[in-house]
Amino acid sequence: ARSRVITEYLGLGSLQDQARLAIARNQPFEDSTIWGLIHEIVSGLKYLHSINKVHGNLSTSNVLLDGDAALQSFTIVKLSDALVNASRSERTSHHDSYRAPETASDSSPSPAADIWSVGAIVAELALERSLSQEELLNVIETELSSLGDFANIVKTCCDTDASKRPNIGQVESLAQEALFPPLSPHTP
């Protein structure tokens, strides 16, 4: 029996594909593009969290693009024999930085785990490279300034204490403030 997933066609592929392509062309995403992507991702998560659902597997490889971002999770797709026979740690190592520390013990992901994933995605896009969880934590501890305008959102979303992470509404506010800064009053 074959498993099939039918989804809307999103012609630009995944965020991971587009980020790699941009870097290969030496045309990394502009800050405004990253903030726009964050806004789209957060909008999708806000909806999921409003209906008491958790994505639990958010990464650049399952954010699909076609003008707007669409959150996908292909965990129901039949795995190849090689992946089925691989250990769980081998299957998930490339998604290590996206997994909140509290989910390492295979506990069910929470909305706070999705928030961690948002921070990891932002860090990856801002730094133009994939990060392991250890590298991500090191960036937060020692190289926060290398994230530029994204430092605050990465630091707050990737707090190792899940209870201190912002909720999705607070992350949305951070993204909106960056996308649409308040206008300065005009003084004559």
Side-chain angles (χ1 to χ4, degrees):
R2 281 182 153 184
S3 298
R4 297 185 193 264
V5 174
I6 299 172
T7 184
E8 173 184 2
Y9 177 71
L10 298 166
L12 294 178
S14 73
L15 178 54
Q16 180 181 56
D17 296 337
Q18 289 300 311
R20 286 179 180 167
L21 184 61
I23 292 166
R25 291 180 175 167
N26 200 27
Q27 297 174 334
F29 292 138
E30 293 184 14
D31 287 3
S32 61
T33 301
I34 295 172
W35 283 116
L37 288 164
I38 294 166
H39 183 263
E40 293 294 326
I41 292 167
V42 168
S43 294
L45 283 179
K46 185 175 182 183
Y47 170 73
L48 286 176
H49 291 183
S50 76
I51 59 170
N52 297 315
K53 301 286 183 196
V54 174
H55 189 283
N57 191 30
L58 189 59
S59 69
T60 56
S61 65
N62 56 32
V63 174
L64 303 183
L65 303 172
D66 190 19
D68 293 327
L71 304 183
Q72 300 290 320
S73 180
F74 297 110
T75 56
I76 60 171
V77 174
K78 183 179 178 184
L79 299 174
S80 71
D81 290 339
L83 282 177
V84 169
N85 294 327
S87 72
R88 182 184 177 285
S89 63
E90 290 171 324
R91 287 193 313 265
T92 60
S93 62
H94 69 284
H95 282 67
D96 178 51
S97 70
Y98 305 113
R99 292 173 47 91
E102 68 272 12
T103 63
S105 62
D106 284 337
S107 65
S108 296
S110 66
D114 281 346
I115 299 300
W116 173 281
S117 299
V118 169
I121 289 170
V122 173
E124 182 175 321
L125 294 176
L127 295 172
E128 303 171 17
R129 61 185 167 97
S130 296
L131 300 166
S132 69
Q133 190 176 79
E134 183 179 329
E135 291 169 324
L136 175 60
L137 291 170
N138 186 53
V139 165
I140 293 167
E141 289 297 317
T142 63
E143 303 172 48
L144 200 57
S145 64
S146 65
L147 293 168
D149 291 340
F150 303 102
N152 185 44
I153 195 167
V154 171
K155 184 177 181 179
T156 57
C157 289
C158 294
D159 195 309
T160 55
D161 182 346
S163 69
K164 292 182 180 176
R165 288 183 209 137
N167 64 40
I168 197 67
Q170 293 165 321
V171 177
E172 180 182 45
S173 292
L174 288 171
Q176 284 180 337
E177 287 170 16
L179 268 175
F180 310 109
L183 298 175
S184 302
H186 179 57
T187 53

